[in-house]
Structure formats: C-alpha cells, structure tokens
Amino acid sequence: MINSATAIAHPNIAFIKFWGNRDSELRIPANSSLSMNLAGLVTRTRVTFDPVLTSDQLTINREPASTEGMARVKMVLDLVREMAGLSCFAQIASENNFPTGAGIASSASAFAALSLAASAAAGLQLSQQQLSRLARRGSGSACRSIPAGFVEWQAGFDDESSYAYSIASPEHWDLVDCIAVVSETHKPTTSSEGHKLADTSVLQAARLADTPARLERCRRAILERDFDSLAGVIELDCNLMHAVMMTSSPVLLYWQPVTLAVIHAIHNWRKSGIPVCYTIDAGPNVHVLSLAGFADQVSQLLSRIPGVADILIAKPGGPAYLE
Ligand code: PMV
C-alpha cells in the first residue's frame, strides 16, 4: 500500500544560539537555546512510502540531493521505519521558498517538515515532544521548528530529555525579522561540521558557563516584551558564538564586509531611537529584529546598504503542520 503525507515547517532564528554538541550522533547540544519561528518562509515536504521502490529517493527544490543530504534524511527515515515496523523505501520531495544554505537555517525547517511528514505517512501519531526529538536527530535546531512561536530547546542529557517547547505563541509579540540577505551562495562549512570545532576554542567554556544567565534574560525579555533587554542579550549571545567560531581551529569566519556594515548601521539606527538589533547564524546574512511598526523603515534603510542583495521579512511563525 502506498502511504503519503505532506508537511510544512518554518525555519527559526536563534536568539540564544546552540553551538557545539555534547553527543554529536544523538545531537544532544552543549547548551539550551531559544528561537523564533519565521512566518512566510516555509519548507514543504512530501513523503511517500512505496513498496515498489528499491531505495530512498530525495529531491530538494526538484534537484536530486547530495550524498550527505541523503544520508541524514535516511537516518531520520530509518528511525521512523523502526517505530512504525515498516520496511519499504520512501520518495521525498522537499521545497523551500527561500535561499538554501545561506544562514537562513534551511535544515531546521527541512528536518521538522520531514519528521512530521514521514511519521504521518508511516501511520504514526507522535506527540509534539516526540516529533521535536525526532527532528533533532536530523539537525539540532530542527527540534525548535516543531512547536509554535517563541521556542526553547532544553538541552537535556539524553534522547528523551532533549526537546523543544513553546514559551509564547506567535501572537504574543509583534516582533519582525528583516533578513538582510548578503549572499545566496552555499556556506563553506556546514553547522554540523562547525559544531565539532566548538571545543577547540578556549572561549567555548566561558560561553557555556554564562548561557543559563543569558537564557533567563532572553526568556524574560520575550515574556515582558522588553525590546531593549532583548536587543542587549541577543547581540551579546550572537557575538559570543561568533567569537568562538573565529577562535576555533581551523578558524570559522562567516562574516563578510557587508555583514559588518549592517552591524554598524544597526548600532547607529538604535542610537537614533529605532528599536532594532541583530543576530547572525552560521552564514553572512544578518537577521535584523525590530517591531512590526518599524518593518518598512528598517527594510528601506537596509536596502540602501551596498551589498545587501535582498531583504526577507518574517513575523513570528506557527508550528509545523500537516497539509
Ligand atoms: O541545527 P544545526 O546543526 O544546523 O545548528 C544550528 C546552529 C546555529 O544556527 C548557528 C545556531 C542555532 O541555535 O540555530
């Protein structure tokens, strides 16, 4: 019997970053993290288990996937097959409506959508916590794209205890992420490889020791809708992660000259009274956070900076869901 399901998931932007794994196979992170789902940006994934197939088949944006991509997807499918007692192969078609691999965490929405579509196609009805744990196995940050809105991933210490949950709904706060797209090319070092280098930086231990305090500040800033407090803590957290990256061996330097130009501009705009701050993932793009009422002004200002190729605007997004 052929069984298929289609799921949609949003990428997320981390306000408190996950960098470094305590267990890289199970993807148990070195620290807890906190993020916001990005509405309007989506990965849509269809999974079909079909007895006539002789191997798993994967297309991403209608192109056959790389061997590395295929291996990670197969690992998640194998977990689903084991849970469902299923032995047949699957056809997976995944599409993003935003640039892949340029710091907009396409792997987060991809593995969240895959986990939901594959488990539903296999006839499983997993809880949100189980789905979050399954998505984590494909890409750590994917566990945060399962629940809605503002999401915390408790690091935990084993497979059962490491999952994400919502701390506030998308409607809780009218934040907006104006993503300054600097480059649409693929990043040179994937985050999976990058996590392995975290402990080569002497700064990683200091970053980890202070993470519970930053998490608490960030959680409170969100719950109290305190933009100034959010701005301070997310820029600090971003800079700490990039300081670890820049002092790793080999060095990981994701910033481009235009990344730095955007950072300087944001500091000036904030001084002039605009509620605006930045965070950057493992890529050159700058996620510029502001309040919905300032989105047009911020995106106009960003568009005037030479080297900003495009601007994507996202409000807080909902959970992963079946179509
Ligand atoms: O989920 P991964 O393995 O792609 O790692 C994500 C790493 C960062 O995006 C840099 C930080 C984060 O918490 O999302």
Side-chain angles (χ1 to χ4, degrees):
M1 204 170 79
I2 301 175
N3 281 312
S4 38
T6 302
I8 304 237
H10 304 289
N12 64 74
I13 178 63
F15 292 168
I16 300 297
K17 311 289 188 189
F18 138 57
W19 195 246
N21 277 309
R22 202 182 306 169
D23 179 327
S24 44
E25 206 205 310
L26 288 176
R27 293 184 195 268
I28 311 295
N31 65 278
S32 297
S33 53
L34 206 163
S35 59
M36 179 181 100
N37 286 349
L38 300 176
L41 309 184
V42 296
T43 296
R44 183 175 182 273
T45 301
R46 182 169 185 79
V47 175
T48 307
F49 286 104
D50 186 342
V52 304
L53 294 172
T54 53
S55 65
D56 291 322
Q57 287 166 18
L58 168 65
T59 59
I60 300 176
N61 295 331
R62 296 163 197 253
E63 301 280 338
S66 66
T67 322
E68 198 259 337
M70 189 67 236
R72 277 167 81 178
V73 164
K74 187 178 174 316
M75 203 262 296
V76 171
L77 287 174
D78 285 344
L79 291 168
V80 169
R81 281 188 276 253
E82 199 183 312
M83 279 190 269
L86 207 69
S87 57
C88 66
F89 292 106
Q91 188 162 39
I92 308 105
S94 190
E95 284 184 42
N96 299 322
N97 71 349
F98 57 94
T100 306
I104 311 177
S106 56
S107 65
S109 48
F111 282 101
L114 173 72
S115 300
L116 180 54
S119 55
L124 295 168
Q125 283 190 323
L126 302 185
S127 66
Q128 193 173 78
Q129 198 180 106
Q130 287 172 311
L131 279 169
S132 179
R133 286 171 43 208
L134 178 62
R136 190 200 75 229
R137 299 293 294 274
S139 178
S141 57
C143 76
R144 298 189 309 238
S145 282
I146 295 287
F150 300 88
V151 174
E152 190 164 335
W153 172 14
Q154 65 172 34
F157 50 87
D158 61 6
D159 179 41
E160 281 77 34
S161 58
S162 189
Y163 58 88
Y165 49 85
S166 178
I167 62 159
S169 71
E171 297 77 28
H172 167 73
W173 197 8
D174 58 355
L175 278 184
V176 65
D177 183 4
C178 302
I179 308 167
V181 180
V182 166
S183 153
E184 297 202 13
T185 56
H186 259 78
K187 57 195 172 195
T189 307
T190 64
S191 36
S192 291
E193 290 163 37
H195 290 300
K196 295 185 188 139
L197 304 179
D199 283 329
T200 66
S201 166
V202 293
L203 301 183
Q204 171 75 342
R207 189 188 78 87
L208 292 176
D210 184 60
T211 304
R214 292 193 311 282
L215 256 176
E216 170 60 23
R217 255 176 88 187
C218 187
R219 195 186 298 124
R220 194 167 329 135
I222 291 168
L223 296 179
E224 294 174 359
R225 302 184 189 92
D226 180 342
F227 192 88
D228 285 347
S229 176
L230 182 82
V233 75
I234 77 173
E235 291 189 359
L236 170 64
D237 188 85
C238 165
N239 292 348
L240 282 167
M241 180 183 75
H242 284 274
V244 167
M245 291 165 159
M246 289 177 200
T247 50
S248 291
S249 177
V251 168
L252 281 178
L253 179 52
Y254 288 106
W255 296 1
Q256 294 294 328
V258 54
T259 311
L260 207 50
V262 174
I263 292 175
H264 282 296
I266 286 169
H267 284 161
N268 289 333
W269 300 337
R270 195 153 76 234
K271 270 191 212 129
S272 76
I274 303 171
V276 65
C277 63
Y278 68 85
T279 187
I280 303 158
D281 276 347
N285 299 333
V286 188
H287 291 255
V288 184
L289 279 305
S290 187
L291 297 171
F294 291 84
D296 287 347
Q297 188 183 359
V298 168
S299 105
Q300 265 178 33
L301 286 167
L302 283 170
S303 68
R304 286 188 213 136
I305 298 178
V308 172
D310 195 8
I311 297 156
L312 309 173
I313 298 186
K315 293 177 179 172
Y321 61 93
L322 286 169
E323 204 174 51

